[in-house]
Amino acid sequence: MPLSGSEQTKAINISATGVCFATRVVLCVGEVVEVLLEIPKRVTGTMAIPRRFTGRITHVDSQTSLPGYSRVGVQLLYCEAVATLRIVTNLAHDSA
C-alpha cells in the first residue's frame, strides 16, 4: 500500500543509474525523491528483494499517452535493502 503522498506504479524503463515511470504525482526537475523498487531475480542473480532508492528527478514529460500522467526520469543516487516484515497471527481457536 502506498504511503500518503505517494503512488504505486510500474517502471517503464530501468537502468543501472536510473528509472523512468508514469505518475499522477506532480514532481519537478531537481526534486529529491524516494523510490521503492523490487529488483527481480533475473537482474540481481539472487532472491528478489525490495530496495529503497534515493534519487533526483532529471526530467518530467507531461506528453504521455495516459491523460493526467507525466513520464518522470529519476537518477538513482544510492539505495538500501528493505527488510521484509511479515506478521503471522494464529487465529485458530481451540473450542474443545
Side-chain angles (χ1 to χ4, degrees):
M1 172 194 275
L3 299 173
S4 176
S6 68
E7 181 179 52
Q8 185 173 352
T9 188
K10 291 186 177 188
I12 296 170
N13 190 340
I14 189 165
S15 71
T17 60
V19 63
C20 179
F21 55 88
T23 182
R24 292 178 294 210
V25 177
V26 177
L27 298 166
C28 300
V29 172
E31 189 173 351
V32 175
V33 294
E34 189 173 271
V35 178
L36 183 64
L37 292 173
E38 183 170 291
I39 310 299
K41 181 180 179 179
R42 69 179 181 271
V43 173
T44 64
T46 63
M47 184 174 73
I49 56 172
R51 297 180 191 269
R52 181 179 299 122
F53 291 85
T54 298
R56 185 174 316 279
I57 304 294
T58 57
H59 69 272
V60 177
D61 178 8
S62 60
Q63 303 300 315
T64 69
S65 59
L66 300 168
Y69 284 78
S70 293
R71 191 174 327 167
V72 177
V74 178
Q75 176 188 17
L76 301 174
L77 303 172
Y78 54 90
C79 79
E80 63 180 314
V82 177
T84 302
L85 176 63
R86 191 169 81 173
I87 300 173
V88 178
T89 305
N90 184 356
L91 298 177
H93 183 74
D94 185 8
S95 58

